[in-house]
Amino acid sequence: QVQLVASGGGLVPTGGSLTLSCAVSAGTLSSYEFGWFRQAPGKEREFVAAISWSGGRTYYVDSVKGRFTISKDNAKNTMYLQMNNQKPEDTAIYYCAAMAAGYCSTYSCYSRLSQYNYWGQGTQVTVSS
């Protein structure tokens, strides 16, 4: 059973930076594909970014391209989301998620919530205007 623990959220001013971490227990990172999702108050959970099991492919929602970077460190069993030049509309609870490797190869697949079997507990990110 894979467990994901998200951390690193907090309060940041507009234009600021924050890095989220997702610690993964059980197995190795190369056995899974990973994603970050977020949910703002009163809105549905939405896709933010994903990284393939090899780390060779990354995917981003248009609103964060050029500002956010997803990465993973196999040695530390941790996945990251570096967020730069943050905007008030980035305010949300951020969730990390995982699925077994090999099921996705397209943006459409990686961005689908139902593809992910394992979810972290979420970490709050608030961007002040």
Side-chain angles (χ1 to χ4, degrees):
Q1 182 74 14
V2 177
Q3 289 188 322
L4 308 176
V5 179
S7 62
L11 177 64
V12 62
T14 297
S17 298
L18 207 58
T19 298
L20 304 182
S21 299
C22 180
V24 182
S25 66
T28 60
L29 263 62
S30 58
S31 299
Y32 302 96
E33 323 263 17
F34 293 95
W36 285 98
F37 291 76
R38 65 186 180 187
Q39 187 166 17
K43 294 188 177 181
E44 293 186 351
R45 193 172 299 188
E46 66 171 359
F47 171 76
V48 176
I51 187 166
S52 65
W53 66 271
S54 67
R57 298 192 309 273
T58 56
Y59 304 85
Y60 300 92
V61 67
D62 284 346
S63 60
V64 308
K65 281 181 181 177
R67 299 190 298 121
F68 289 13
T69 302
I70 188 171
S71 63
K72 63 190 185 85
D73 186 331
N74 290 344
K76 295 183 178 179
N77 256 35
T78 302
M79 198 248 304
Y80 303 96
L81 184 68
Q82 171 71 41
M83 304 183 292
N84 297 326
N85 189 24
Q86 290 195 261
K87 304 176 180 180
E89 52 263 42
D90 293 327
T91 295
I93 299 174
Y94 283 70
Y95 299 89
C96 56
M99 68 172 111
Y103 286 94
C104 281
S105 60
T106 65
Y107 176 91
S108 175
C109 186
Y110 280 101
S111 64
R112 197 175 302 138
L113 272 75
S114 59
Q115 286 295 141
Y116 295 84
N117 308 105
Y118 309 102
W119 291 83
Q121 84 287 7
T123 184
Q124 176 72 49
V125 173
T126 303
V127 184
S128 62
S129 57

